[in-house]
Amino acid sequence: MCVGAVAKCARCISGTLYPLILISIICNILLFFPGWDVKYSKDGHITAEVKYLGGILGGGVLVLISGLYIQLAGNQRCCHGRIKMFVSVLFAAVGLVGALYSFLVAALGLTNGPLCKVQGEWTTPFKNSTASYLSDYKSWSECIEPKNVVKFNIALFVALMAIGCLQMILCAVQILNGLIGCIFGTSGIEDVEDPA
């Protein structure tokens, strides 16, 4: 029995992962330039969570490695390679871990808030706050420099969290898909592609 739908699903998953990987990397790179200025990175005045590279290493490199192998497994004309499908499960698990890392780093960055200049001193004013600064817009004005850094960090960290969630879902679906292909997938009969 050859389950062509498994291969098509794998191709669909990998095709969906690629733009998410690119957006994740871009979001993490942008976080290095709060206030759209290079000087803060040069001076080391960026949020610690940005330096953890969640969007670049986790949601980027690890998910990319996973996506490439998932695509390779999906490009088989038939899911006759039970071993390939099993290995795609392992690679999807690597992607799941990477996406989880990206999500957790972004959540931590969102919880701790940005590094900014408050009364002439660089600090993270919202790190130990009892109330959530996310809904207290008036408190955002405490951060004098970089300009609009609170909005900037919130937008990019929320984007990274959303991307991490989508990547985790897609990798989890591929784990199930790969297991189905591994268990039900082989007879060695080639899939007949639709001529259209």
Side-chain angles (χ1 to χ4, degrees):
M1 171 176 153
C2 183
V3 188
V6 171
K8 288 178 184 174
C9 183
R11 287 193 300 268
C12 180
I13 288 170
S14 65
T16 307
L17 281 174
Y18 294 138
L20 293 175
I21 292 165
L22 181 63
I23 295 168
S24 178
I25 291 170
I26 290 170
C27 285
N28 202 142
I29 290 170
L30 289 176
L31 281 165
F32 279 97
F33 306 105
W36 305 105
D37 202 330
V38 184
K39 70 178 180 179
Y40 302 110
S41 285
K42 284 183 180 177
D43 297 339
H45 298 308
I46 54 172
T47 307
E49 291 78 16
V50 176
K51 298 174 189 175
Y52 298 158
L53 302 177
I56 294 173
L57 294 178
V61 174
L62 289 177
V63 177
L64 178 62
I65 291 168
S66 175
L68 289 172
Y69 194 85
I70 291 168
Q71 181 180 5
L72 182 65
N75 282 341
Q76 302 302 314
R77 298 201 61 149
C78 177
C79 38
H80 62 280
R82 287 184 189 222
I83 293 173
K84 285 186 181 181
M85 277 299 171
F86 178 72
V87 173
S88 82
V89 169
L90 299 179
F91 275 96
V94 169
L96 184 67
V97 169
L100 179 63
Y101 175 70
S102 179
F103 177 85
L104 292 175
V105 168
L108 188 63
L110 196 60
T111 302
N112 291 339
L115 175 69
C116 61
K117 200 175 212 178
V118 179
Q119 298 175 352
E121 185 181 330
W122 287 96
T123 184
T124 47
F126 308 112
K127 190 170 187 174
N128 297 317
S129 61
T130 53
S132 174
Y133 75 95
L134 296 171
S135 58
D136 185 11
Y137 308 119
K138 291 180 182 177
S139 67
W140 295 3
S141 61
E142 289 179 38
C143 287
I144 299 164
E145 192 181 351
K147 189 177 179 183
N148 295 321
V149 70
V150 180
K151 288 181 191 176
F152 184 81
N153 271 27
I154 290 173
L156 292 172
F157 279 130
V158 166
L160 282 170
M161 286 176 69
I163 291 165
C165 280
L166 290 172
Q167 289 174 330
M168 283 189 282
I169 291 167
L170 289 168
C171 288
V173 169
Q174 177 54 30
I175 289 171
L176 293 175
N177 184 49
L179 287 173
I180 291 169
C182 184
I183 294 168
F184 297 109
T186 183
S187 68
I189 300 169
E190 291 293 321
D191 251 354
V192 178
E193 293 283 332
D194 291 335

